[in-house]
Amino acid sequence: MTNRRRPVSQALLDRAIKVDAALHAAFPGAKCSLDYANPLQLLIATILSAQCTDARVNMVTPALFARYKTAAEFAGADCAELEALVQSTGFYRNKAKSIREACKDIAVLHGGEVPKNLEELYQLHGVGRKTANVVLGNAFGIPGMVVDTHVGRIARRLGLTKNADPVKVEQDLMRLFPDMRWTTLGHEMILLGRKYCKAPTPKCAGCPLIELCPFTKKVL
Ligand code: SF4
């Protein structure tokens, strides 16, 4: 894709380098907190994590993954049974539908294997860009910049983007940070969002990025 957007200023690149270092120092070892044993399980766990805590998803998936093992099995699952198994994660009808549709695509179009690139992952029914990047980065080790509500909010507060559209935020962050950092950076920003940079009011006191953050001046 041709990038016709304005070049990034050196000042912004310098700040991104400092943000990168501060996040890495503040959250060493940050990683995906969903439990999974293979790419298919991570894809399904990520679908279930929408509007739900990872801890809750991890309580639900052991029984789910014991009941269905392959994409074909998920695709052919009885609707009511699948819904009952994922009910406690919320929005369970939509999530069960997304799981069945994505797994049908994987079984029919990809021989039962989760595809290893963003375009094909994103084209699976029921799979959004965030889920595609989570799977890419964590299950396959291919850099993926995950932009969820935490990452988008923090990127805007830190002045790393002015965009609200997650795809544009993703592109802005990909221009500012090296690809080898994208996956872990997403985890670190999510941890920052959970601990300090909350919505609607951040807890700036104690935030490891306070010296770098233009938003904190407005808050304080
Ligand atoms: S200083 Fe405040 S607004 Fe800035 S990143 Fe930290 S918590 Fe968020």
Side-chain angles (χ1 to χ4, degrees), residues 198-213:
K198 296 168 182 278
T201 309
K203 293 166 65 178
C204 298
C207 173
L209 274 71
I210 193 165
E211 299 296 333
L212 301 168
C213 182

Side-chain angles (χ1 to χ4, degrees), residues 50-191:
Q51 309 288 320
C52 180
T53 65
D54 290 353
R56 166 58 60 185
V57 173
N58 290 340
M59 292 168 69
V60 162
T61 47
L64 185 66
F65 296 156
R67 178 69 182 86
Y68 311 107
K69 301 226 174 343
T70 65
E73 287 176 10
F74 275 104
D78 175 76
C79 250
E81 187 182 357
L82 183 56
E83 285 176 2
L85 280 165
V86 303
Q87 185 170 15
S88 67
T89 67
F91 304 98
Y92 62 94
R93 289 203 174 92
N94 284 342
K95 289 179 181 177
K97 183 166 179 257
S98 294
I99 290 169
R100 281 163 48 95
E101 288 184 345
C103 286
K104 185 177 174 195
D105 282 352
I106 293 167
V108 172
L109 303 176
H110 299 283
E113 299 293 326
V114 177
K116 278 190 185 176
N117 63 76
L118 184 62
E119 289 71 28
E120 287 183 329
L121 274 165
Y122 189 39
Q123 281 170 16
L124 298 173
H125 278 96
V127 172
R129 201 170 176 92
K130 186 196 102 173
T131 298
N133 271 316
V134 168
V135 172
L136 208 58
N138 296 282
F140 294 126
I142 298 169
M145 189 68 242
V146 171
V147 176
D148 69 353
T149 54
H150 288 301
V151 175
R153 179 176 69 253
I154 292 166
R156 283 185 290 280
R157 285 176 175 173
L158 285 169
L160 304 175
T161 183
K162 292 188 167 115
N163 288 302
D165 175 2
V167 176
K168 289 183 178 165
V169 175
E170 181 187 318
Q171 290 170 349
D172 287 341
L173 295 179
M174 287 166 69
R175 293 197 307 166
L176 287 173
F177 299 96
D179 58 1
M180 60 196 273
R181 283 282 291 137
W182 293 346
T183 302
T184 308
L185 191 74
H187 296 313
E188 292 163 357
M189 290 176 86
I190 288 167
L191 290 175

